mmCIF file of all heavy atoms in Angstrom:
data_model
loop_
_atom_site.group_PDB
_atom_site.id
_atom_site.type_symbol
_atom_site.label_atom_id
_atom_site.label_comp_id
_atom_site.label_asym_id
_atom_site.label_seq_id
_atom_site.Cartn_x
_atom_site.Cartn_y
_atom_site.Cartn_z
ATOM 1 N N MET N 134 -14.499 -0.969 -2.025
ATOM 2 C CA MET N 134 -13.508 -0.771 -3.089
ATOM 3 C C MET N 134 -12.185 -1.262 -2.534
ATOM 4 O O MET N 134 -11.603 -0.608 -1.663
ATOM 5 C CB MET N 134 -13.354 0.716 -3.397
ATOM 6 C CG MET N 134 -14.441 1.277 -4.246
ATOM 7 S SD MET N 134 -14.184 0.732 -5.946
ATOM 8 C CE MET N 134 -15.789 1.177 -6.587
ATOM 9 N N VAL N 135 -11.743 -2.400 -2.998
ATOM 10 C CA VAL N 135 -10.580 -2.999 -2.336
ATOM 11 C C VAL N 135 -9.462 -3.327 -3.323
ATOM 12 O O VAL N 135 -9.692 -3.494 -4.521
ATOM 13 C CB VAL N 135 -10.985 -4.263 -1.543
ATOM 14 C CG1 VAL N 135 -12.071 -3.933 -0.533
ATOM 15 C CG2 VAL N 135 -11.448 -5.374 -2.462
ATOM 16 N N HIS N 136 -8.270 -3.386 -2.796
ATOM 17 C CA HIS N 136 -7.113 -3.818 -3.578
ATOM 18 C C HIS N 136 -6.072 -4.375 -2.602
ATOM 19 O O HIS N 136 -6.249 -4.270 -1.387
ATOM 20 C CB HIS N 136 -6.531 -2.659 -4.392
ATOM 21 C CG HIS N 136 -5.760 -1.668 -3.574
ATOM 22 N ND1 HIS N 136 -6.362 -0.803 -2.688
ATOM 23 C CD2 HIS N 136 -4.434 -1.412 -3.498
ATOM 24 C CE1 HIS N 136 -5.448 -0.049 -2.118
ATOM 25 N NE2 HIS N 136 -4.261 -0.399 -2.588
ATOM 26 N N ASP N 162 -9.786 -4.246 -7.383
ATOM 27 C CA ASP N 162 -8.865 -3.726 -8.400
ATOM 28 C C ASP N 162 -8.450 -4.863 -9.342
ATOM 29 O O ASP N 162 -8.107 -5.962 -8.887
ATOM 30 C CB ASP N 162 -7.625 -3.132 -7.691
ATOM 31 C CG ASP N 162 -6.697 -2.391 -8.630
ATOM 32 O OD1 ASP N 162 -6.439 -2.885 -9.739
ATOM 33 O OD2 ASP N 162 -6.210 -1.307 -8.230
ATOM 34 N N ARG N 164 -5.940 -5.533 -10.819
ATOM 35 C CA ARG N 164 -4.591 -6.071 -10.646
ATOM 36 C C ARG N 164 -4.472 -6.978 -9.423
ATOM 37 O O ARG N 164 -3.443 -7.596 -9.213
ATOM 38 C CB ARG N 164 -3.593 -4.912 -10.536
ATOM 39 C CG ARG N 164 -3.516 -4.070 -11.792
ATOM 40 C CD ARG N 164 -2.853 -2.738 -11.523
ATOM 41 N NE ARG N 164 -3.620 -1.929 -10.585
ATOM 42 C CZ ARG N 164 -3.261 -0.729 -10.159
ATOM 43 N NH1 ARG N 164 -2.136 -0.216 -10.583
ATOM 44 N NH2 ARG N 164 -4.023 -0.050 -9.320
ATOM 45 N N THR N 191 -8.199 0.503 -10.698
ATOM 46 C CA THR N 191 -8.535 1.729 -9.971
ATOM 47 C C THR N 191 -7.276 2.275 -9.310
ATOM 48 O O THR N 191 -7.019 1.998 -8.140
ATOM 49 C CB THR N 191 -9.630 1.442 -8.925
ATOM 50 O OG1 THR N 191 -9.425 0.130 -8.396
ATOM 51 C CG2 THR N 191 -11.005 1.518 -9.534
ATOM 52 N N ILE N 192 -6.517 3.024 -10.060
ATOM 53 C CA ILE N 192 -5.260 3.558 -9.533
ATOM 54 C C ILE N 192 -5.543 4.621 -8.482
ATOM 55 O O ILE N 192 -6.637 5.204 -8.458
ATOM 56 C CB ILE N 192 -4.367 4.169 -10.640
ATOM 57 C CG1 ILE N 192 -5.032 5.393 -11.272
ATOM 58 C CG2 ILE N 192 -3.995 3.132 -11.675
ATOM 59 C CD1 ILE N 192 -4.091 6.203 -12.162
ATOM 60 N N TRP N 193 -4.581 4.897 -7.652
ATOM 61 C CA TRP N 193 -4.740 5.905 -6.596
ATOM 62 C C TRP N 193 -5.044 7.272 -7.234
ATOM 63 O O TRP N 193 -4.309 7.715 -8.121
ATOM 64 C CB TRP N 193 -3.465 5.993 -5.752
ATOM 65 C CG TRP N 193 -3.658 6.871 -4.549
ATOM 66 C CD1 TRP N 193 -4.028 6.457 -3.311
ATOM 67 C CD2 TRP N 193 -3.501 8.282 -4.496
ATOM 68 N NE1 TRP N 193 -4.135 7.540 -2.476
ATOM 69 C CE2 TRP N 193 -3.822 8.675 -3.175
ATOM 70 C CE3 TRP N 193 -3.153 9.257 -5.419
ATOM 71 C CZ2 TRP N 193 -3.789 10.003 -2.747
ATOM 72 C CZ3 TRP N 193 -3.114 10.578 -5.013
ATOM 73 C CH2 TRP N 193 -3.428 10.939 -3.685
ATOM 74 N N GLY N 194 -6.111 7.900 -6.752
ATOM 75 C CA GLY N 194 -6.430 9.257 -7.217
ATOM 76 C C GLY N 194 -6.972 9.336 -8.629
ATOM 77 O O GLY N 194 -7.183 10.425 -9.155
ATOM 78 N N LEU N 198 -11.658 5.644 -10.344
ATOM 79 C CA LEU N 198 -12.329 5.367 -9.077
ATOM 80 C C LEU N 198 -13.776 5.879 -9.129
ATOM 81 O O LEU N 198 -14.710 5.183 -8.724
ATOM 82 C CB LEU N 198 -11.565 6.014 -7.913
ATOM 83 C CG LEU N 198 -11.985 5.553 -6.524
ATOM 84 C CD1 LEU N 198 -11.741 4.067 -6.313
ATOM 85 C CD2 LEU N 198 -11.272 6.355 -5.437
ATOM 86 N N TYR N 202 -17.298 3.769 -9.011
ATOM 87 C CA TYR N 202 -18.418 4.069 -8.114
ATOM 88 C C TYR N 202 -19.715 4.219 -8.904
ATOM 89 O O TYR N 202 -20.758 3.692 -8.518
ATOM 90 C CB TYR N 202 -18.145 5.353 -7.320
ATOM 91 C CG TYR N 202 -17.269 5.111 -6.102
ATOM 92 C CD1 TYR N 202 -16.190 5.940 -5.826
ATOM 93 C CD2 TYR N 202 -17.541 4.076 -5.221
ATOM 94 C CE1 TYR N 202 -15.384 5.732 -4.712
ATOM 95 C CE2 TYR N 202 -16.741 3.859 -4.103
ATOM 96 C CZ TYR N 202 -15.665 4.686 -3.862
ATOM 97 O OH TYR N 202 -14.885 4.476 -2.762
ATOM 98 N N LEU N 223 -16.732 1.836 1.399
ATOM 99 C CA LEU N 223 -15.676 1.477 2.353
ATOM 100 C C LEU N 223 -14.498 0.917 1.571
ATOM 101 O O LEU N 223 -14.661 0.406 0.460
ATOM 102 C CB LEU N 223 -16.176 0.386 3.319
ATOM 103 C CG LEU N 223 -17.261 0.744 4.327
ATOM 104 C CD1 LEU N 223 -17.753 -0.521 5.036
ATOM 105 C CD2 LEU N 223 -16.741 1.738 5.358
ATOM 106 N N SER N 224 -13.327 1.006 2.161
ATOM 107 C CA SER N 224 -12.169 0.332 1.579
ATOM 108 C C SER N 224 -11.765 -0.787 2.520
ATOM 109 O O SER N 224 -12.312 -0.903 3.631
ATOM 110 C CB SER N 224 -11.008 1.305 1.397
ATOM 111 O OG SER N 224 -10.328 1.480 2.622
ATOM 112 N N ALA N 225 -10.801 -1.583 2.104
ATOM 113 C CA ALA N 225 -10.361 -2.704 2.944
ATOM 114 C C ALA N 225 -9.598 -2.226 4.168
ATOM 115 O O ALA N 225 -9.334 -2.999 5.079
ATOM 116 C CB ALA N 225 -9.495 -3.659 2.129
ATOM 117 N N THR N 226 -9.248 -0.943 4.207
ATOM 118 C CA THR N 226 -8.504 -0.429 5.362
ATOM 119 C C THR N 226 -9.412 0.361 6.309
ATOM 120 O O THR N 226 -8.937 1.094 7.156
ATOM 121 C CB THR N 226 -7.325 0.454 4.913
ATOM 122 O OG1 THR N 226 -7.811 1.491 4.078
ATOM 123 C CG2 THR N 226 -6.290 -0.357 4.155
ATOM 124 N N SER N 294 -13.937 14.926 1.463
ATOM 125 C CA SER N 294 -13.648 13.500 1.578
ATOM 126 C C SER N 294 -14.425 12.680 0.549
ATOM 127 O O SER N 294 -15.570 12.998 0.222
ATOM 128 C CB SER N 294 -14.021 13.034 2.976
ATOM 129 O OG SER N 294 -14.064 11.628 3.006
ATOM 130 N N ASP N 295 -13.821 11.620 0.049
ATOM 131 C CA ASP N 295 -14.560 10.738 -0.867
ATOM 132 C C ASP N 295 -15.139 9.517 -0.160
ATOM 133 O O ASP N 295 -15.386 8.486 -0.758
ATOM 134 C CB ASP N 295 -13.706 10.326 -2.064
ATOM 135 C CG ASP N 295 -12.433 9.605 -1.660
ATOM 136 O OD1 ASP N 295 -12.182 9.456 -0.449
ATOM 137 O OD2 ASP N 295 -11.684 9.191 -2.564
ATOM 138 N N TRP N 296 -15.325 9.628 1.127
ATOM 139 C CA TRP N 296 -16.047 8.574 1.859
ATOM 140 C C TRP N 296 -17.370 9.173 2.261
ATOM 141 O O TRP N 296 -17.417 10.264 2.829
ATOM 142 C CB TRP N 296 -15.212 8.108 3.055
ATOM 143 C CG TRP N 296 -13.863 7.671 2.563
ATOM 144 C CD1 TRP N 296 -12.709 8.381 2.649
ATOM 145 C CD2 TRP N 296 -13.576 6.497 1.815
ATOM 146 N NE1 TRP N 296 -11.689 7.690 2.012
ATOM 147 C CE2 TRP N 296 -12.206 6.531 1.486
ATOM 148 C CE3 TRP N 296 -14.335 5.397 1.389
ATOM 149 C CZ2 TRP N 296 -11.578 5.522 0.743
ATOM 150 C CZ3 TRP N 296 -13.706 4.394 0.668
ATOM 151 C CH2 TRP N 296 -12.342 4.453 0.355
ATOM 152 N N LEU N 327 -8.478 12.690 -8.219
ATOM 153 C CA LEU N 327 -9.281 12.415 -7.030
ATOM 154 C C LEU N 327 -10.741 12.846 -7.217
ATOM 155 O O LEU N 327 -11.308 13.570 -6.388
ATOM 156 C CB LEU N 327 -8.674 13.141 -5.819
ATOM 157 C CG LEU N 327 -7.341 12.578 -5.325
ATOM 158 C CD1 LEU N 327 -6.601 13.588 -4.442
ATOM 159 C CD2 LEU N 327 -7.538 11.273 -4.542
ATOM 160 N N GLU N 330 -13.579 12.850 -4.573
ATOM 161 C CA GLU N 330 -13.514 13.785 -3.451
ATOM 162 C C GLU N 330 -14.302 15.056 -3.738
ATOM 163 O O GLU N 330 -14.343 15.957 -2.900
ATOM 164 C CB GLU N 330 -12.049 14.141 -3.126
ATOM 165 C CG GLU N 330 -11.321 12.971 -2.500
ATOM 166 C CD GLU N 330 -9.930 13.309 -1.973
ATOM 167 O OE1 GLU N 330 -9.400 14.391 -2.281
ATOM 168 O OE2 GLU N 330 -9.384 12.470 -1.260
ATOM 169 N N THR N 354 -10.923 10.012 10.044
ATOM 170 C CA THR N 354 -9.746 9.706 9.233
ATOM 171 C C THR N 354 -8.508 10.136 9.992
ATOM 172 O O THR N 354 -8.446 11.248 10.494
ATOM 173 C CB THR N 354 -9.835 10.433 7.882
ATOM 174 O OG1 THR N 354 -11.084 10.100 7.280
ATOM 175 C CG2 THR N 354 -8.717 10.005 6.957
ATOM 176 N N TRP N 356 -5.613 11.561 9.942
ATOM 177 C CA TRP N 356 -4.653 12.379 9.195
ATOM 178 C C TRP N 356 -3.463 12.783 10.056
ATOM 179 O O TRP N 356 -3.610 13.161 11.212
ATOM 180 C CB TRP N 356 -5.325 13.659 8.679
ATOM 181 C CG TRP N 356 -6.243 13.431 7.529
ATOM 182 C CD1 TRP N 356 -7.617 13.524 7.540
ATOM 183 C CD2 TRP N 356 -5.889 13.065 6.191
ATOM 184 N NE1 TRP N 356 -8.123 13.232 6.293
ATOM 185 C CE2 TRP N 356 -7.090 12.956 5.450
ATOM 186 C CE3 TRP N 356 -4.668 12.809 5.543
ATOM 187 C CZ2 TRP N 356 -7.112 12.604 4.094
ATOM 188 C CZ3 TRP N 356 -4.697 12.460 4.198
ATOM 189 C CH2 TRP N 356 -5.904 12.368 3.492
ATOM 190 N N TYR N 366 2.764 9.384 -4.142
ATOM 191 C CA TYR N 366 2.116 8.813 -5.326
ATOM 192 C C TYR N 366 2.578 9.452 -6.615
ATOM 193 O O TYR N 366 1.912 9.360 -7.635
ATOM 194 C CB TYR N 366 0.598 8.932 -5.195
ATOM 195 C CG TYR N 366 0.083 8.178 -4.012
ATOM 196 C CD1 TYR N 366 -0.341 8.832 -2.865
ATOM 197 C CD2 TYR N 366 0.074 6.782 -4.025
ATOM 198 C CE1 TYR N 366 -0.762 8.124 -1.760
ATOM 199 C CE2 TYR N 366 -0.352 6.071 -2.931
ATOM 200 C CZ TYR N 366 -0.777 6.747 -1.795
ATOM 201 O OH TYR N 366 -1.190 6.027 -0.709
ATOM 202 N N CYS N 375 -1.989 13.305 -0.599
ATOM 203 C CA CYS N 375 -1.766 12.908 0.797
ATOM 204 C C CYS N 375 -2.542 11.630 1.108
ATOM 205 O O CYS N 375 -3.542 11.335 0.477
ATOM 206 C CB CYS N 375 -2.258 13.995 1.749
ATOM 207 S SG CYS N 375 -1.480 15.592 1.467
ATOM 208 N N SER N 376 -2.085 10.915 2.105
ATOM 209 C CA SER N 376 -2.781 9.724 2.599
ATOM 210 C C SER N 376 -2.872 9.775 4.108
ATOM 211 O O SER N 376 -1.926 10.216 4.752
ATOM 212 C CB SER N 376 -1.987 8.462 2.262
ATOM 213 O OG SER N 376 -2.251 8.043 0.978
ATOM 214 N N PRO N 377 -3.987 9.289 4.657
ATOM 215 C CA PRO N 377 -4.058 9.214 6.117
ATOM 216 C C PRO N 377 -3.150 8.117 6.657
ATOM 217 O O PRO N 377 -2.816 7.174 5.947
ATOM 218 C CB PRO N 377 -5.519 8.862 6.383
ATOM 219 C CG PRO N 377 -6.151 8.559 5.088
ATOM 220 C CD PRO N 377 -5.195 8.826 3.986
ATOM 221 N N ARG N 399 -10.655 5.140 9.439
ATOM 222 C CA ARG N 399 -9.593 4.680 8.551
ATOM 223 C C ARG N 399 -8.339 5.431 8.852
ATOM 224 O O ARG N 399 -8.422 6.555 9.326
ATOM 225 C CB ARG N 399 -10.015 4.791 7.088
ATOM 226 C CG ARG N 399 -9.962 6.197 6.472
ATOM 227 C CD ARG N 399 -10.584 6.235 5.112
ATOM 228 N NE ARG N 399 -10.130 5.143 4.274
ATOM 229 C CZ ARG N 399 -9.230 5.279 3.314
ATOM 230 N NH1 ARG N 399 -8.691 6.446 3.086
ATOM 231 N NH2 ARG N 399 -8.871 4.269 2.611
ATOM 232 N N LYS N 400 -7.135 4.804 8.616
ATOM 233 C CA LYS N 400 -6.969 3.512 7.999
ATOM 234 C C LYS N 400 -6.415 2.511 9.011
ATOM 235 O O LYS N 400 -5.807 2.902 10.005
ATOM 236 C CB LYS N 400 -5.972 3.590 6.843
ATOM 237 C CG LYS N 400 -6.308 4.602 5.824
ATOM 238 C CD LYS N 400 -5.198 4.793 4.807
ATOM 239 C CE LYS N 400 -4.914 3.559 3.972
ATOM 240 N NZ LYS N 400 -4.011 3.906 2.805
HETATM 241 C C1 UDX U 852 -6.700 9.054 0.697
HETATM 242 C C2 UDX U 852 -8.084 9.533 1.043
HETATM 243 O O1 UDX U 852 -8.457 9.111 2.341
HETATM 244 C C3 UDX U 852 -9.034 8.999 0.069
HETATM 245 O O2 UDX U 852 -10.231 9.593 0.400
HETATM 246 C C4 UDX U 852 -8.631 9.320 -1.345
HETATM 247 O O3 UDX U 852 -9.447 8.654 -2.263
HETATM 248 C C5 UDX U 852 -7.234 8.872 -1.617
HETATM 249 O O4 UDX U 852 -6.401 9.393 -0.639
HETATM 250 P P1 UDX U 852 -5.519 6.714 0.738
HETATM 251 O O5 UDX U 852 -5.356 5.932 1.955
HETATM 252 O O6 UDX U 852 -4.359 7.465 0.231
HETATM 253 O O7 UDX U 852 -6.718 7.674 0.944
HETATM 254 O O8 UDX U 852 -6.059 5.832 -0.455
HETATM 255 P P2 UDX U 852 -6.444 4.324 -0.467
HETATM 256 O O9 UDX U 852 -7.382 3.979 0.623
HETATM 257 O O10 UDX U 852 -5.215 3.512 -0.580
HETATM 258 O O11 UDX U 852 -7.211 4.284 -1.847
HETATM 259 C C6 UDX U 852 -8.492 4.847 -2.020
HETATM 260 C C7 UDX U 852 -9.392 3.808 -2.682
HETATM 261 O O12 UDX U 852 -8.847 3.427 -3.935
HETATM 262 C C8 UDX U 852 -9.541 2.537 -1.870
HETATM 263 O O13 UDX U 852 -10.848 2.075 -1.954
HETATM 264 C C9 UDX U 852 -8.582 1.602 -2.525
HETATM 265 O O14 UDX U 852 -8.906 0.241 -2.365
HETATM 266 C C10 UDX U 852 -8.650 2.037 -3.989
HETATM 267 N N1 UDX U 852 -7.389 1.742 -4.657
HETATM 268 C C11 UDX U 852 -6.258 2.416 -4.338
HETATM 269 C C12 UDX U 852 -7.354 0.722 -5.583
HETATM 270 O O15 UDX U 852 -8.375 0.099 -5.867
HETATM 271 N N2 UDX U 852 -6.171 0.416 -6.179
HETATM 272 C C13 UDX U 852 -5.014 1.067 -5.881
HETATM 273 O O16 UDX U 852 -3.979 0.730 -6.458
HETATM 274 C C14 UDX U 852 -5.065 2.112 -4.930
#
Side-chain angles (χ1 to χ4, degrees):
M134 281 285 166
V135 303
H136 75 289
D162 188 317
R164 296 163 297 179
T191 35
I192 65 168
W193 188 93
L198 193 62
Y202 278 133
L223 292 172
S224 81
T226 55
S294 166
D295 59 358
W296 305 102
L327 290 162
E330 289 188 348
T354 306
W356 286 110
Y366 298 106
C375 303
S376 277
R399 78 189 313 257
K400 305 172 64 168

